[in-house]
Amino acid sequence: MDDEDEHPILTCVSSSARQLYLLLRCINFSEKAHVQLSEEGIKFSVDEASAMEGSAFLDKSLFTAYTFRTPPPQRNSQNSDDEDEEDTSSTPTFQISLPSLLETLQIFGLTDPNTSKPPWARENPTSTAFSNTVLGMNNMCRISYDTTGAPLSIILTEATIRTTCNLTTYEPAFADEIPFDRQSIAFKTIMRGSWLFDAISELSSTSPEKLTMVARMHRGKPYFALSSSGDLGSARVEFNNNPYPSNRPPPPPTNPNPTDAENGPQPTPHLLEIFKLSSPSSTLRNSYKFSLIQKAARAMSVATKVSVRADTQGVLSLQFMIEVESGKICFVDFRFVPLVDEDGDDDEGEGEETMMGDGNGDEGPSARARDGSLGSGTASEDEDDDDDVEMLT
Amino acid sequence: MRFKASIHNITTFTKLTASLNSLGPLAWVKLSDEHVCFTIIPEQGTQVWAVLSIDSIFETYTVQSAAGNVINLEVPLTSLTRALKSALNATSAQLRLTKKDSAPLLALTIAVANAPNAHAAFPATAANNDDGFDAPFDSAFGSGNRETIVTQEIPVRVLAPDTVAGLHEPQCREPDVHIILPPLLQLKSISDRFTKLAMAGVKSGAATAPSRTRLEVAANMHGCLRLSIKTDAMSISSVWTDLNNPELDPSQVTGIAEHPSTRMKQLGTADGRSDEGWASVRIDGRDWGKVMSVGRLGGRVIACECECALCFCHDHALILYVYLPSDNGEDESVLTYYVSSYSA
């Protein structure tokens, strides 16, 4: 769209549609996504049954050109109770089909049959050493939104092909954001995204229903654990900060993951970069639906760092820092509503739980089945789970 | 009635039958002195009329019949493709028309050479590792000529000349636009993605039956080709520019001045942004994907890339010509696809 008499609300150009694709793929778990345009960037958010929401913020620094003009305030956004934005009164908000957008963004390049072949086997050797393909700049992407109610149009160009996609914009739904109280945070920790990913993928092997997060201070040292329970049994991954050099060999890696190789032997500064509990004497324990947490797995796998926070209500916020090309940083946020504890019997058992590594051995996430072979340290609380495991083996 | 030929280019023949098979199960094969014609007329979808020169697939070729040395056969393409696939590693392959219990069949005889070190059945396999022992051993057993002969029989039906007399290649008015296509695989990957997009839209709408995906294909006389699809959630279109509109040959086409394409040349622009001058057709996305699978014939199999031209009769039909260059460069083989347009 060329600038006409009417100035469009938004025009922006990205040199790499792939970048946008990689970020938006993290929140691809719903048909419709809310899009919020602002001076600072574009925010895409999706929500699942009001129990979980995810949002990706495309900062304007991701784009080579970004022009936003505040539209005349003829229609107020329904989602104006968002505490993130100061003035939401004139922030255009609408819904689009997220799968369609993702399909569009990868229309070139990813499925080009030529790229899977070596250059000499290609049908039309168009790429030279100096072409844009070499720089990964072969997919220019231009996004524009003309007026309120207009379609969101995406124009992708590659060589002599130009693709225009007009995504129908829908009225935003009346979904309120999950309230997360920044003022009363009960717990906060920061760690590597891949460690959280390893933990979650390890726990998912038993296809659990719920994930319990435990955080407390143990002998003056932080202790953070994720445990899962379901029909097939339960498992727990612990994260310990070890201020002393390890005096026994680290536990055998439970899954061959790439991060083990790079951070295994050398002393990592701290597994948990920041560990804050609002009341260090008490133990924080919240449960979440595992299948929902798992939907954030894509973000975990690509994130460099993740900030895990829980407020006093138990709402979990996962904030992922994702490094896109050329050192630019983007954030993808997830929020989860906790499961309500129906019966308090969990509390009694696990409150007494001992740390498996005893605070001096575990360096890096280690998942162990509590039941069966490795569960000697915690056998006291797992009588009923043991039966399940024996039946399986 | 006699037909016997040795297949000269097994890979091309296999890919051709596989790509034709995606459009319909049965082919009318017409064998004559100069050409092999494959015709597929499915109940629904695209018709193919392929005319191949003999030497593009066969060599040492004999065809004899009472009806002017023309044989018409109904061939099940699935069986033929399967048989040809087993011949991919063959040193030679022969196709013959025979009879067994008075049922006509095409016999495909394949000779597969055993590689010298693949004598798994021989107890002396270990000796083959040593080249010094290998040579006399092989010559003693005549291993150089050892071949496995496999014969595959494909039941066919012989069609009487009267049966096929009523079948004619579709007639079409002079096209509004003709254009040379971009690489078919590129076109296929984009149109497949479009079809996928449209399907995704249908899935979310749950209630609607799995309707056909209407892909709109349009082109102008200024080297632009446009592929587009519309769903509730989106509309998307890809435009290729800088394609080639071949000039009409005055010796073949009379009255170029009044030809529809000359008129279309007055309209539209080369950057594809103008709304004028487009001839468009609406076709089924999945059907189009099947047609595009002929792109596999190009690439490395045939040294020179196959050339494809599209002719558009606005709102009526689309004709795709795939030219397969032959070795001697004279006798071109042409595959013609007739795709009918949905009404708007």
Side-chain angles (χ1 to χ4, degrees):
Chain A
M1 305 301 132
D2 298 306
D3 286 22
E4 290 154 16
D5 323 337
E6 290 281 320
H7 291 301
I9 295 175
L10 174 85
T11 46
C12 54
V13 179
S14 163
S15 55
S16 166
R18 191 171 160 73
Q19 251 177 29
L20 307 183
Y21 170 72
L22 289 177
L23 281 171
L24 292 178
R25 199 172 55 154
C26 294
I27 56 164
N28 183 23
F29 55 84
S30 173
E31 279 294 320
K32 293 270 162 60
H34 276 89
V35 184
Q36 213 170 43
L37 309 176
S38 68
E39 197 75 60
E40 287 78 37
I42 311 173
K43 185 181 170 188
F44 290 84
S45 47
V46 287
D47 124 296
E48 165 96 20
S50 297
M52 166 196 191
E53 63 178 37
S55 67
F57 186 71
L58 307 182
D59 193 85
K60 68 174 179 186
S61 64
L62 273 182
F63 299 95
T64 45
Y66 188 93
T67 324
F68 174 78
R69 285 183 190 80
T70 313
Q74 55 192 9
R75 193 195 62 165
N76 279 358
S77 147
Q78 275 94 347
N79 276 25
S80 49
D81 57 344
D82 177 12
E83 76 261 40
D84 285 340
E85 318 290 326
E86 276 75 25
D87 55 339
T88 49
S89 57
S90 60
T91 309
T93 307
F94 48 84
Q95 285 194 94
I96 56 162
S97 155
L98 187 62
S100 300
L101 173 63
L102 286 171
E103 282 289 330
T104 308
L105 286 177
Q106 51 171 333
I107 202 151
F108 295 130
L110 293 182
T111 54
D112 190 353
N114 267 343
T115 50
S116 56
K117 295 182 200 161
W120 44 89
R122 288 179 195 169
E123 260 179 56
N124 47 344
T126 46
S127 98
T128 68
F130 307 110
S131 74
N132 278 338
T133 327
V134 181
L135 301 173
M137 300 273 282
N138 52 337
N139 36 14
M140 287 282 278
C141 164
R142 184 187 169 101
I143 302 175
S144 65
Y145 182 62
D146 283 357
T147 54
T148 311
L152 183 75
S153 64
I154 292 148
I155 301 169
L156 295 141
T157 41
E158 181 182 86
T160 58
I161 318 172
R162 189 179 69 244
T163 300
T164 312
C165 173
N166 289 317
L167 290 163
T168 313
T169 53
Y170 300 90
E171 285 282 319
F174 286 93
D176 282 339
E177 260 196 358
I178 295 171
F180 181 72
D181 194 352
R182 242 162 259 245
Q183 307 310 315
S184 57
I185 285 178
F187 164 64
K188 176 180 182 173
T189 187
I190 290 181
M191 67 169 107
R192 281 204 195 188
S194 56
W195 287 343
L196 188 61
F197 176 70
D198 291 343
I200 295 295
S201 47
E202 188 66 40
L203 294 179
S204 70
S205 58
T206 58
S207 58
E209 281 149 21
K210 87 179 183 179
L211 178 83
T212 307
M213 186 177 85
V214 180
R216 66 188 154 114
M217 295 304 282
H218 177 81
R219 292 187 211 149
K221 280 178 283 178
Y223 170 83
F224 178 58
L226 295 170
S227 59
S228 63
S229 58
D231 291 339
L232 294 181
S234 57
R236 187 173 72 209
V237 178
E238 295 180 355
F239 299 86
N240 295 325
N241 264 4
N242 182 16
Y244 311 109
S246 180
N247 55 5
R248 70 170 201 204
T254 46
N255 63 332
N257 60 61
T259 54
D260 272 353
E262 54 188 63
N263 61 37
Q266 88 255 23
T268 41
H270 270 307
L271 193 62
L272 306 168
E273 270 183 38
I274 292 177
F275 187 87
K276 279 185 195 153
L277 275 168
S278 59
S279 55
S281 54
S282 66
T283 302
L284 176 118
R285 181 191 310 278
N286 289 322
S287 294
Y288 305 94
K289 200 168 179 205
F290 191 84
S291 58
L292 292 183
I293 303 272
Q294 220 176 1
K295 289 185 174 169
R298 178 95 65 184
M300 294 174 196
S301 64
V302 295
T304 39
K305 279 182 187 175
V306 53
S307 142
V308 182
R309 290 177 300 176
D311 70 1
T312 44
Q313 300 260 14
V315 174
L316 174 69
S317 149
L318 297 178
Q319 192 171 46
F320 296 96
M321 189 176 95
I322 296 172
E323 226 169 288
V324 292
E325 293 144 61
S326 67
K328 284 180 208 153
I329 286 169
C330 280
F331 291 97
V332 174
D333 278 278
F334 287 90
R335 281 180 197 179
F336 304 89
V337 171
L339 289 175
V340 179
D341 243 346
E342 320 92 34
D343 40 11
D345 59 354
D346 276 359
D347 283 322
E348 292 160 33
E350 293 183 48
E352 300 302 313
E353 124 193 285
T354 49
M355 284 170 65
M356 284 189 292
D358 214 25
N360 58 7
D362 286 358
E363 188 73 33
S366 65
R368 299 173 175 201
R370 281 195 285 155
D371 351 291
S373 58
L374 287 167
S376 57
T378 54
S380 60
E381 66 204 67
D382 292 319
E383 287 92 348
D384 45 355
D385 288 334
D386 277 336
D387 296 339
D388 292 340
V389 173
E390 270 162 21
M391 266 157 42
L392 283 170
T393 53
Chain B
M1 193 177 286
R2 269 170 59 84
F3 166 67
K4 188 178 176 185
S6 62
I7 303 171
H8 139 78
N9 199 336
I10 296 167
T11 330
T12 312
F13 194 19
T14 314
K15 287 191 177 185
L16 173 75
T17 53
S19 115
L20 294 180
N21 191 24
S22 64
L23 291 163
L26 290 174
W28 161 34
V29 180
K30 183 176 155 194
L31 303 157
S32 66
D33 280 336
E34 289 125 31
H35 294 110
V36 190
C37 303
F38 287 86
T39 305
I40 291 149
I41 307 175
E43 289 295 311
Q44 267 189 329
T46 304
Q47 287 195 13
V48 192
W49 293 71
V51 180
L52 303 166
S53 63
I54 293 297
D55 47 329
S56 62
I57 25 177
F58 296 130
E59 55 186 4
T60 54
Y61 175 88
T62 24
V63 56
Q64 284 169 12
S65 81
N69 290 349
V70 172
I71 298 178
N72 291 298
L73 298 174
E74 181 195 282
V75 179
L77 281 173
T78 319
S79 315
L80 180 61
T81 313
R82 206 179 297 145
L84 284 171
K85 267 189 188 146
S86 69
L88 279 177
N89 293 320
T91 45
S92 72
Q94 264 199 352
L95 201 58
R96 234 158 13 101
L97 182 64
T98 58
K99 248 183 196 171
K100 195 182 208 176
D101 304 335
S102 76
L105 46 88
L106 276 176
L108 178 71
T109 309
I110 306 156
V112 186
N114 289 337
N117 56 0
H119 297 169
F122 273 69
T125 321
N128 283 0
N129 294 338
D130 191 343
D131 281 345
F133 281 99
D134 201 23
F137 180 83
D138 270 356
S139 60
F141 282 84
S143 180
N145 325 321
R146 282 168 45 80
E147 277 183 335
T148 309
I149 310 282
V150 180
T151 303
Q152 305 236 22
E153 294 175 342
I154 304 142
V156 293
R157 233 158 57 97
V158 177
L159 302 174
D162 303 350
T163 320
V164 294
L167 295 173
H168 295 291
E169 203 158 340
Q171 293 291 310
C172 231
R173 64 181 169 89
E174 286 297 317
D176 296 308
V177 166
H178 42 264
I179 193 162
I180 302 277
L181 286 185
L184 277 194
L185 284 179
Q186 184 190 48
L187 193 59
K188 180 172 163 59
S189 81
I190 290 189
S191 58
D192 281 355
R193 198 162 280 277
F194 276 23
T195 317
K196 207 173 141 199
L197 267 171
M199 303 294 264
V202 167
K203 215 192 307 158
S204 68
T208 50
S211 62
R212 297 180 168 276
T213 49
R214 300 281 168 85
L215 203 62
E216 190 184 298
V217 186
N220 68 10
M221 284 301 286
H222 298 273
C224 302
L225 175 78
R226 186 178 66 196
L227 209 62
S228 52
I229 202 158
K230 258 198 183 76
T231 68
D232 289 346
M234 68 187 308
S235 70
I236 182 164
S237 69
S238 282
V239 178
W240 280 259
T241 52
D242 298 333
L243 300 174
N244 192 11
N245 298 104
E247 290 295 326
L248 292 172
D249 187 353
S251 63
Q252 303 272 330
V253 185
T254 49
I256 286 187
E258 287 92 52
H259 195 271
S261 68
T262 315
R263 236 181 338 98
M264 292 298 269
K265 218 175 260 186
Q266 316 294 322
L267 305 164
T269 52
D271 63 358
R273 286 172 200 272
S274 158
D275 286 337
E276 286 188 313
W278 293 95
S280 66
V281 290
R282 275 161 300 277
I283 53 178
D284 180 51
R286 270 170 294 178
D287 192 42
W288 177 246
K290 289 177 193 166
V291 172
M292 290 285 102
S293 67
V294 76
R296 280 179 284 179
L297 278 174
R300 265 188 298 180
V301 185
I302 298 158
C304 147
E305 212 175 299
C306 63
E307 196 179 39
C308 308
L310 265 189
C311 288
F312 286 79
C313 297
H314 186 59
D315 271 349
H316 177 61
L318 182 72
I319 308 161
L320 170 71
Y321 299 97
V322 180
Y323 302 101
L324 301 177
S326 61
D327 293 339
N328 56 19
E330 293 168 11
D331 225 2
E332 270 197 335
S333 308
V334 188
L335 278 71
T336 314
Y337 289 78
Y338 294 90
V339 191
S340 177
S341 170
Y342 288 102
S343 53

